[in-house]
């Protein structure tokens, strides 16, 4: 059977055909060929161009009537050889984990601001939590707000710890900042040296730094430094450094060898003595 475009009879028949879908030619049924109208797709506003304004409202597409796949359907998916994730959670490298309210509250308790001189310093309270008892308030003596500040060396960290420098730096800021809060007028420091190993003894440089960093008002208002149970090392160290410290500060140092002797100098009602020093 000849192809439609090769048959000269077909064009005449199709042109004369009406609305019927098929026409019989020489006993053979031939389908009617529909000719597409010429449509210009140019973007200009000429008369021959088709614009959206020329379309009637009946030709608009109603998105609500479209059959779209549901959220849980597997439409538009295809099979491949790639490995499928076991869970729907996508873990990205370098992505930050969510910060819960409890973690944020815990982090808020970790850091505390202390004002030393005219500068604010952050102290890692979580790191120094086991060593906070190194400084405490021991009440008052005499008339007025003459504070008693207790410094217990037995609560200091050991020098063998890997983060010892970090601990001592934060502990230094905590001690100085707390001293600023405890002292209102004159004060004395009770230095509890008993039951302390050499690994817990702070260095001379650390102690000197503490004294230099406190406010001038605090250095002036320090009336006495009582060293309880002084070791041979402490007494030798102070004897060596005596020529390098002021005579006024040297006169404030006093050695006490027993707790009974300490009780004769200050009221012991609010002075917290660690159990290890009592046994010592």
């Amino acid at each position: 059977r000849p192809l439609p475009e090769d048959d000269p009879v077909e064009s005449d028949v199709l042109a004369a055909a009406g609305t019927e879908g098929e026409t019989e030619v020489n006993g053979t049924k031939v389908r009617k060929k529909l000719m597409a109208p010429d449509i210009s797709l140019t973007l200009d506003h000429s008369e021959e161009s088709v614009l959206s304004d020329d379309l009637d409202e009946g030709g608009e597409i109603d998105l609500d009537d479209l059959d779209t796949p549901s959220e849980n359907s597997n439409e538009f998916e295809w099979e491949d050889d790639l490995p499928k994730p076991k869970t729907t959670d996508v873990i990205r490298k370098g992505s930050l984990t969510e910060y819960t309210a409890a973690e944020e509250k815990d982090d808020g308790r970790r850091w505390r601001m202390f004002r030393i001189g005219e500068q604010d310093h952050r102290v890692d309270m979580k790191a120094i939590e086991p060593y906070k008892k190194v400084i405490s308030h021991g009440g008052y003596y005499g008339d007025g707000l003459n504070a008693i500040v207790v410094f217990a060396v037995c609560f200091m960290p050991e020098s063998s710890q890997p983060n010892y420098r970090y601990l001592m730096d934060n502990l230094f800021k905590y001690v100085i900042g707390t001293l600023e809060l405890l002292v209102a007028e004159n004060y004395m420091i009770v230095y509890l040296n008993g039951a302390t190993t050499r690994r817990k003894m702070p260095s001379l440089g650390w102690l000197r730094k503490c004294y230099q960093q406190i406010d001038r008002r605090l250095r002036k208002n320090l009336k006495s430094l009582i060293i309880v149970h002084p070791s041979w090392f402490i007494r030798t160290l102070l004897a060596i450094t005596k020529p390098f410290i002021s005579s006024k500060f040297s006169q404030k140092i006093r050695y006490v060898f027993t707790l009974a002797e300490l009780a004769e100098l200050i009221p012991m009602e609010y002075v917290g003595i660690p159990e290890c020093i009592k046994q010592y």
Side-chain angles (χ1 to χ4, degrees):
R1 189 172 59 183
L3 296 175
E5 57 266 26
D6 297 334
D7 194 349
V9 182
E10 183 183 7
S11 60
D12 297 334
V13 175
L14 293 179
T19 58
E20 296 180 0
E22 296 180 349
T23 306
E24 183 174 350
V25 178
N26 296 330
T28 304
K29 291 184 179 182
V30 180
R31 292 183 180 274
K32 182 175 64 175
K33 181 186 294 184
L34 299 179
M35 303 300 294
D38 295 333
I39 299 177
S40 176
L41 298 180
T42 59
L43 298 179
D44 57 352
H45 291 274
S46 61
E47 295 181 358
E48 297 179 356
S49 63
V50 179
L51 301 177
S52 60
D53 294 337
D54 297 335
L55 298 175
D56 57 351
E57 296 181 357
E60 294 181 356
I61 299 176
D62 189 1
L63 297 179
D64 295 333
D65 294 337
L66 292 178
D67 188 12
T68 58
S70 62
E71 296 180 357
N72 298 327
S73 66
N74 293 327
E75 202 169 341
F76 302 132
E77 293 184 359
W78 60 87
E79 295 294 332
D80 54 18
D81 296 333
L82 296 177
K84 301 295 189 302
K86 295 182 180 180
T87 61
T88 57
D89 298 333
V90 178
I91 302 176
R92 297 179 179 178
K93 292 184 178 181
S95 60
L96 298 177
T97 57
E98 293 185 2
Y99 211 39
T100 63
E103 291 174 344
E104 185 176 1
K105 187 176 180 180
D106 182 68
D107 187 68
R109 289 195 302 264
R110 172 170 184 154
W111 298 98
R112 182 178 174 183
M113 299 296 296
F114 285 93
R115 191 167 186 83
I116 302 175
E118 296 181 354
Q119 294 182 351
D120 293 331
H121 298 269
R122 287 203 318 164
V123 176
D124 190 346
M125 300 299 294
K126 189 173 183 179
I128 67 169
E129 181 67 28
Y131 317 107
K132 288 170 57 178
K133 293 182 180 180
V134 70
I135 186 171
S136 60
H137 198 288
Y140 300 93
Y141 70 96
D143 299 330
L145 299 176
N146 301 319
I148 301 174
V149 179
V150 181
F151 191 90
V153 192
C154 59
F155 292 120
M156 294 287 287
E158 294 187 357
S159 59
S160 58
Q161 296 192 21
N163 57 342
Y164 179 74
R165 186 180 296 273
Y166 178 79
L167 290 176
M168 292 299 288
D169 182 62
N170 282 270
L171 198 58
F172 161 76
K173 298 174 183 177
Y174 173 75
V175 169
I176 302 301
T178 304
L179 193 62
E180 295 272 0
L181 298 175
L182 294 180
V183 174
E185 296 180 2
N186 297 334
Y187 69 104
M188 70 167 56
I189 294 180
V190 178
Y191 188 90
L192 300 177
N193 188 70
T196 303
T197 61
R198 286 290 302 275
R199 290 181 298 179
K200 289 187 176 182
M201 287 291 298
S203 64
L204 178 62
W206 190 87
L207 294 174
R208 181 176 59 186
K209 184 180 178 182
C210 287
Y211 182 74
Q212 293 175 347
Q213 289 293 324
I214 62 178
D215 187 72
R216 183 177 179 276
R217 175 186 66 87
L218 294 178
R219 286 185 294 183
K220 183 180 179 181
N221 292 345
L222 177 62
K223 298 305 178 182
S224 180
L225 173 59
I226 303 177
I227 301 179
V228 184
H229 301 136
S231 62
W232 175 86
F233 176 77
I234 286 291
R235 285 181 288 174
T236 304
L237 190 62
L238 290 176
I240 295 175
T241 58
K242 189 174 181 178
F244 306 100
I245 60 179
S246 64
S247 58
K248 291 183 178 180
F249 182 75
S250 299
Q251 295 173 0
K252 298 176 181 180
I253 301 175
R254 184 167 183 176
Y255 296 134
V256 171
F257 296 91
T258 62
L259 294 178
E261 187 179 354
L262 179 64
E264 295 176 359
L265 300 176
I266 61 172
M268 299 287 292
E269 184 179 0
Y270 300 106
V271 177
I273 304 297
E275 188 63 30
C276 59
I277 294 183
K278 292 181 181 179
Q279 295 176 2
Y280 178 82

